[in-house]
Amino acid sequence: MIERLRTATMTVLALAITSTFNTFPARAGMVEIKQNQLVVDGQPQPQLFGAEIQYFRLRGGEGRNIPRARVIELWNKALDRAVEAKMNTVGFYIPWDFHEYAEGKFDFDGTVDEDGDGNADYPSRDVRTWIKLVEAKGLKNLHVRPGPFINAEWGFLGFGAVPLWFHQKFPNSHSLNPKGQRSLLNSYTDPDFRRYSKRWLETVYQEVLKPYIGPGRLVTFLQIDNETNLMWQSAFNHDYSPRSQALYRSFLKLRYDNTLAKVNIAHRRAWREWNEIKPPTVPNANIFEDQDWYRFQDETMYQYLRWIRSVWEAMGVREPAVLFTLAESYNAAEHGVLPHYRLRNMPGQTGMMTVNLYPKTYETDDITLMNLPFKTDHDVKAAESANDFYLGSRQEWVMGPEIQAGWWRGTHVSLESRRQTYLSTLGHGMKALYLYYFNEGDNWQSTWAKDQILPYFTTLRKDPRYKNTPDNQLSAQFWAELNEIVANNLFVGWDAWWVLKQGGTQPKTLYFDAPIGADGEPRAPYASVKEFGERVIAPYGRFLGSAVEMTDEVCMIKDSNQHAPSTVSGVSSRIVNSDWAGGLLALLFHAGINPRIHHWDINPKSDLLSCKLVVYQDNGFATPELAQWLKSVLARGGGVLNFIDDGLTRQLLGRAPTSNPGCVRIPGQPMEVDGYRCAVGTGYVYQARVPIHDVFNTDFYARVHDAPARRAVMEGVLRDLKIRGRVQIKGGADRVVAYARMSQDAERYWVTVKSGRLDAHAGAIQLSVKRPNSMYEVTEVFTRASVRMRGSDLYQLGWGYSLGPNGSTAYYVEPIKEPLL
């Protein structure tokens, strides 16, 4: 009887959720984002939950001549596990180097016998059959990623999938560092690289993808390149080739109206001729030159991505037959380049920016839950807001082609970490979630680097200084010399010791603690993936596919122009805009606020007028225009909270807060912020030099002992402005946050709650609902335990939650009819 009642309840639940699913007129061959959901051929799509399944790694072994039947068996196993986990889509790369095995020679059906032994070399090249198997399993809305770069820890360089034969033919296609040494990255502007990339894309389209793009076909998303970000390296490593330096000078001419005097003023230089101009080679020697070198890198990547899209469009592949996407991780190496939200989302020019998420990438002594516990929240919300620009209207829809499903040996990604990450993506509106890597498997040409380095190693070992030293006792000086030799003769950027130690740029077999092993069988993490699919996606996918976020009257400003190197002493623009921005969002969550992220360079300026509080991190780029708009917020009785530098505050006040009679120093209790509270008419400006939010988005988060004191500072600002969030942890909480989504008619709700504490924790969640006099049922989605409460009690009293250490869960809240008396 209990099981029958549960089945009946879930049936009613599914019908209720289905009833909120939007309907649209049929439009064949159209991929659209409309009314905050994906619509394909006129049919609204549910929450997409899928896997990045790499068919080319499921080869059955590293070498040649693996039986075709074994490969097909592995592919079927992986796909069956995806379907079993309630996945409804897959994504996959198509690696250039794997399929164009020699110049002009392609294998897309796994039949080539290059060694002439009568057996197909790599049946796993049969991507045509792979796609047919995907279709046979009922998986749709494929996300296809043909490069030319794929990264993926793949290929002879350890990333990229640019063929080895191409490197051997065009060794000078690589970008150069200031010393003239080749980097591992092919130059985005190299004509040979572009010419051969174009041929690759044309071939893979004609030979593989063409039958699957169009009305009623499988491919919904087509990715342009992958992680176009200098491959996690410094902007001062790329690209100093004569061609690139000429392009840099052309960039400066355009930026400064072809007036050399303007360049000299901006850069504090005295160039006499345009051809004298050289790009900066050392960071921080001239910050003004650094800023333009950074902007030039942004522009170079933008033009490269535009070029790739133009290749597809020249073949007749255009939106809305597919949705072009870009896969980006919003982080960078020191002096690296963060993805520019405007340039990456340029409508009709690039593709819609998506989100790659890896919040746990290195281990700590205490085996922390995540290194960046609020990276997921920040990156998804920031992408959702930025995508409006690409889509041309206000839409809440985000894709995540790479959501962390493991990591390499030595770093533990716990089940708690995985669940928090997945729930956080859904909680902020990621409506296409692909786990990466879903499967382990065999790498490709991973020993090439070792083979190239070994002769140089052997020669240097013969040096009288080292010839009598055992290998395991070779000094740091030896390895530094070897690295310089390798940089001069092969590539800069390789650690020779590491490459020789592990036998190549990557192990022969990829290990990622992934849900599926190289044998196609489930590994330990698979059970949690399956539970997530069964408990979250299957019953609630239609609701999640169209839900919108419940936000408060607070706006947090981002501006991609702030990515450039900062003139503020000791401030890293990279850290401020990525790590600290996640921490600032966390501080607001702790105070019960789910803010809107406003991209100053993308979103309509007038949107700021609906904010009672605007929060900003000032790293020296606040413009007079921004200040003017924020003065309008103040004139409406709102507030501006400015962290770090006081440049914005000076513009708002007309002077420094220290000399303004309307300003009072903020007390050092409960938390020292080194700041001021300034009355401006009926509004307030708050200046806080200390970024009290930084620690929330670090691997130290679990051990932050003064989180309530930091939260109290924000709560004081909110009290001044009479702002209360729509979702609260009753009484405030210590390292526990909650936020919500709702149906577009505001009748049903989805509440995510997560803890960063090392101990178990219980409390109550308060939720403001549309109908305070109606009855609601609150269902915990994993246990399916439920409680019924009146709407007014949901906000005033709240319902109880209980979380284990680093726990997280979600609640579905829906109105119910009261029984007749």
Side-chain angles (χ1 to χ4, degrees):
M1 176 63 73
I2 291 175
E3 186 57 39
R4 289 168 62 186
L5 285 172
R6 180 180 294 139
T7 301
T9 299
M10 293 308 295
T11 301
V12 170
L13 172 63
L15 289 172
I17 296 173
T18 302
S19 70
T20 68
F21 208 36
N22 296 322
T23 57
F24 301 91
R27 303 178 68 183
M30 299 283 282
V31 177
E32 305 167 282
I33 308 297
K34 296 179 63 176
Q35 297 183 29
N36 305 295
Q37 67 186 124
L38 174 67
V39 180
V40 179
D41 296 335
Q43 298 301 311
Q45 304 298 303
Q47 171 76 43
L48 299 187
F49 178 49
E52 167 80 16
I53 303 182
Q54 297 184 349
Y55 66 91
F56 47 89
R57 274 197 162 102
L58 290 171
R59 303 202 300 273
E62 198 222 351
R64 297 173 185 254
N65 303 331
I66 304 298
R68 177 181 175 83
R70 174 58 178 156
V71 173
I72 300 299
E73 177 190 20
L74 289 173
W75 290 354
N76 275 314
K77 282 183 176 182
L79 289 169
D80 286 342
R81 296 296 79 75
V83 172
E84 193 177 302
K86 306 303 179 185
M87 290 179 172
N88 50 20
T89 183
V90 295
F92 52 90
Y93 295 121
I94 305 179
W96 178 9
D97 58 348
F98 190 53
H99 291 284
E100 189 174 3
Y101 58 93
E103 182 180 352
K105 297 180 179 180
F106 299 88
D107 184 5
F108 294 113
D109 55 15
T111 58
V112 168
D113 177 20
E114 197 177 11
D115 59 6
D117 65 356
N119 298 304
D121 293 338
Y122 296 101
S124 47
R125 286 176 172 152
D126 189 0
V127 64
R128 295 178 176 129
T129 293
W130 162 252
I131 296 176
K132 290 176 183 177
L133 290 176
V134 170
E135 185 174 30
K137 303 295 182 182
L139 298 161
K140 301 187 297 182
N141 295 315
L142 304 192
H143 188 214
V144 179
R145 315 206 280 169
F149 284 112
I150 70 167
N151 199 343
E153 292 70 50
W154 175 265
F156 76 101
L157 293 177
F159 69 86
V162 178
L164 174 58
W165 60 258
F166 177 84
H167 159 70
Q168 291 169 336
K169 183 170 184 174
F170 301 106
N172 294 326
S173 66
H174 291 262
S175 61
L176 302 180
N177 74 358
K179 295 181 179 180
Q181 297 166 330
R182 285 194 298 260
S183 86
L184 297 169
L185 180 69
N186 294 88
S187 172
Y188 298 132
T189 63
D190 180 75
D192 294 315
F193 173 68
R194 287 199 176 192
R195 181 159 49 98
Y196 279 79
S197 294
K198 179 175 181 288
R199 188 181 70 179
W200 158 248
L201 295 175
E202 290 170 342
T203 304
V204 77
Y205 171 64
Q206 293 294 339
E207 296 295 326
V208 178
L209 295 178
K210 189 173 183 178
Y212 297 102
I213 295 175
R217 308 295 173 82
L218 283 182
V219 176
T220 298
F221 311 106
L222 185 61
Q223 184 174 297
I224 294 174
D225 206 54
N226 186 63
E227 295 179 324
T228 311
N229 60 6
L230 305 180
M231 287 298 169
W232 318 110
Q233 297 177 47
S234 166
F236 297 94
N237 285 347
H238 308 83
D239 176 10
Y240 293 86
S241 66
R243 179 189 60 258
S244 181
Q245 293 192 47
L247 290 170
Y248 174 62
R249 289 189 285 270
S250 297
F251 169 80
L252 293 178
K253 287 180 180 180
L254 186 63
R255 180 170 175 80
Y256 293 101
D257 303 321
N258 204 29
T259 304
L260 186 59
K262 290 184 178 181
V263 177
N264 284 331
I265 291 170
H267 290 183
R268 280 63 166 174
R269 283 286 198 172
W271 303 113
R272 294 168 299 177
E273 302 288 343
W274 283 103
N275 286 341
E276 288 183 1
I277 295 177
K278 301 293 183 183
T281 59
V282 179
N284 303 320
N286 183 328
I287 197 68
F288 306 103
E289 286 187 329
D290 291 357
Q291 289 178 343
D292 273 340
W293 181 241
Y294 188 101
R295 293 170 183 131
F296 168 68
Q297 301 283 5
D298 260 338
E299 179 68 18
T300 299
M301 288 184 272
Y302 165 62
Q303 295 296 343
Y304 168 66
L305 293 168
R306 281 187 67 195
W307 172 77
I308 294 180
R309 175 160 172 163
S310 74
V311 171
W312 286 107
E313 291 184 331
M315 292 186 283
V317 180
R318 297 184 175 89
E319 291 180 344
V322 295
L323 181 62
F324 288 115
T325 65
L326 306 179
E328 303 292 353
S329 295
Y330 191 72
N331 55 350
E334 186 67 24
H335 306 300
V337 180
L338 288 171
H340 192 292
Y341 282 102
R342 182 180 180 87
L343 293 179
R344 300 304 172 92
N345 265 314
M346 193 64 72
Q349 302 295 313
T350 54
M352 188 183 73
M353 185 170 162
T354 64
V355 181
N356 291 354
L357 286 170
Y358 299 95
K360 178 73 180 284
T361 58
Y362 61 87
E363 199 52 89
T364 58
D365 290 340
D366 59 353
I367 313 180
T368 190
L369 179 73
M370 300 179 196
N371 308 122
L372 297 166
F374 288 92
K375 177 176 177 58
T376 298
D377 308 80
H378 169 271
D379 290 9
V380 176
K381 285 176 68 70
E384 181 271 309
S385 181
N387 288 350
D388 296 349
F389 180 61
Y390 185 81
L391 298 170
S393 63
R394 176 70 183 139
Q395 301 290 338
E396 293 191 26
W397 202 91
V398 180
M399 168 184 276
E402 297 185 22
I403 307 302
Q404 185 166 24
W407 201 251
W408 285 275
R409 296 186 191 279
T411 298
H412 178 56
V413 182
S414 67
L415 298 181
E416 291 82 5
S417 173
R418 296 169 198 246
R419 180 189 277 195
Q420 275 209 26
T421 299
Y422 307 155
L423 285 177
S424 296
T425 64
L426 298 186
H428 294 301
M430 181 173 283
K431 295 175 180 176
L433 186 166
Y434 296 79
L435 301 187
Y436 188 100
Y437 293 96
F438 187 66
N439 66 280
E440 298 173 354
D442 300 300
N443 285 322
W444 184 248
Q445 297 177 333
S446 61
T447 63
W448 184 85
K450 179 203 70 175
D451 296 338
Q452 306 310 303
I453 292 173
L454 201 53
Y456 296 106
F457 170 85
T458 302
T459 300
L460 186 59
R461 284 291 276 116
K462 295 176 182 177
D463 187 294
R465 295 171 297 163
Y466 306 122
K467 66 179 182 179
N468 295 321
T469 305
D471 285 357
N472 62 359
Q473 295 179 26
L474 287 168
S475 66
Q477 179 179 330
F478 171 88
W479 293 109
E481 284 188 43
L482 181 59
N483 282 339
E484 189 63 19
I485 293 169
V486 169
N488 288 330
N489 291 277
L490 297 170
F491 295 103
V492 65
W494 271 339
D495 181 340
W497 177 84
W498 175 250
V499 171
L500 295 177
K501 179 177 183 292
Q502 73 168 1
T505 50
Q506 300 290 337
K508 290 185 178 181
T509 300
L510 171 78
Y511 171 85
F512 200 73
D513 197 18
I516 300 297
D519 59 358
E521 297 294 338
R523 299 183 66 260
Y526 176 76
S528 65
V529 173
K530 185 170 182 286
E531 179 191 40
F532 191 82
E534 291 173 340
R535 300 289 178 166
V536 176
I537 302 301
Y540 302 105
R542 287 184 174 268
F543 167 83
L544 292 168
S546 62
V548 295
E549 192 157 21
M550 285 183 69
T551 55
D552 298 303
E553 298 171 298
V554 176
C555 290
M556 177 177 153
I557 289 184
K558 288 189 68 68
D559 181 358
S560 292
N561 296 314
Q562 290 182 283
H563 292 174
S566 173
T567 57
V568 180
S569 177
V571 170
S572 164
S573 293
R574 174 184 65 88
I575 292 175
V576 167
N577 285 284
S578 56
D579 298 3
W580 287 7
L584 181 53
L585 186 61
L587 176 63
L588 289 162
F589 287 160
H590 280 76
I593 295 296
N594 187 5
R596 303 199 306 269
I597 288 185
H598 178 93
H599 290 272
W600 171 247
D601 56 333
I602 290 179
N603 300 133
K605 306 291 191 287
S606 57
D607 285 0
L608 290 173
L609 300 181
S610 64
C611 308
K612 285 187 177 180
L613 172 65
V614 177
V615 187
Y616 185 71
Q617 294 189 105
D618 189 349
N619 65 330
F621 291 93
T623 64
E625 185 186 12
L626 172 61
Q628 198 59 44
W629 276 99
L630 294 184
K631 286 178 181 178
S632 298
V633 173
L634 296 171
R636 293 165 176 253
V640 175
L641 172 56
N642 185 47
F643 283 100
I644 313 173
D645 192 53
D646 66 355
L648 174 63
T649 299
R650 288 170 180 263
Q651 293 185 63
L652 294 174
L653 301 177
R655 65 179 81 177
T658 53
S659 61
N660 191 305
C663 297
V664 296
R665 190 162 183 83
I666 298 173
Q669 296 295 328
M671 187 80 196
E672 178 59 63
V673 298
D674 187 14
Y676 292 84
R677 174 181 179 269
C678 306
V680 181
T682 57
Y684 292 96
V685 174
Y686 304 86
Q687 172 64 38
R689 190 170 294 277
V690 177
I692 61 171
H693 48 276
D694 57 352
V695 296
F696 285 118
N697 197 30
T698 66
D699 46 38
F700 188 67
Y701 174 56
R703 301 187 184 280
V704 174
H705 65 280
D706 57 357
R710 296 169 188 265
R711 184 189 75 224
V713 173
M714 182 60 71
E715 289 173 337
V717 173
L718 298 173
R719 280 195 301 271
D720 283 349
L721 300 170
K722 298 180 174 57
I723 299 172
R724 184 183 177 187
R726 300 163 74 185
V727 183
Q728 302 269 329
I729 300 295
K730 189 174 183 180
D734 182 357
R735 289 158 294 163
V736 179
V737 301
Y739 40 80
R741 302 188 65 71
M742 62 184 178
S743 58
Q744 295 184 38
D745 60 6
E747 294 284 358
R748 296 169 177 80
Y749 306 86
W750 179 272
V751 180
T752 303
V753 58
K754 60 180 183 178
S755 169
R757 299 168 62 107
L758 298 177
D759 59 349
H761 178 76
I765 301 170
Q766 298 169 297
L767 172 69
S768 175
V769 294
K770 180 179 180 180
R771 302 180 185 277
N773 295 321
S774 296
M775 289 296 295
Y776 286 81
E777 184 166 54
V778 181
T779 302
E780 201 274 346
V781 299
F782 289 100
T783 65
R784 294 178 180 163
S786 64
V787 62
R788 296 184 175 188
M789 300 181 71
R790 195 162 297 280
S792 56
D793 290 337
L794 287 176
Y795 194 49
Q796 295 171 11
L797 302 176
W799 71 89
Y801 69 85
S802 180
L803 298 174
N806 292 318
S808 59
T809 191
Y811 295 88
Y812 183 69
V813 182
E814 62 176 339
I816 57 174
K817 291 183 178 180
E818 298 185 63
L820 297 175
L821 298 177

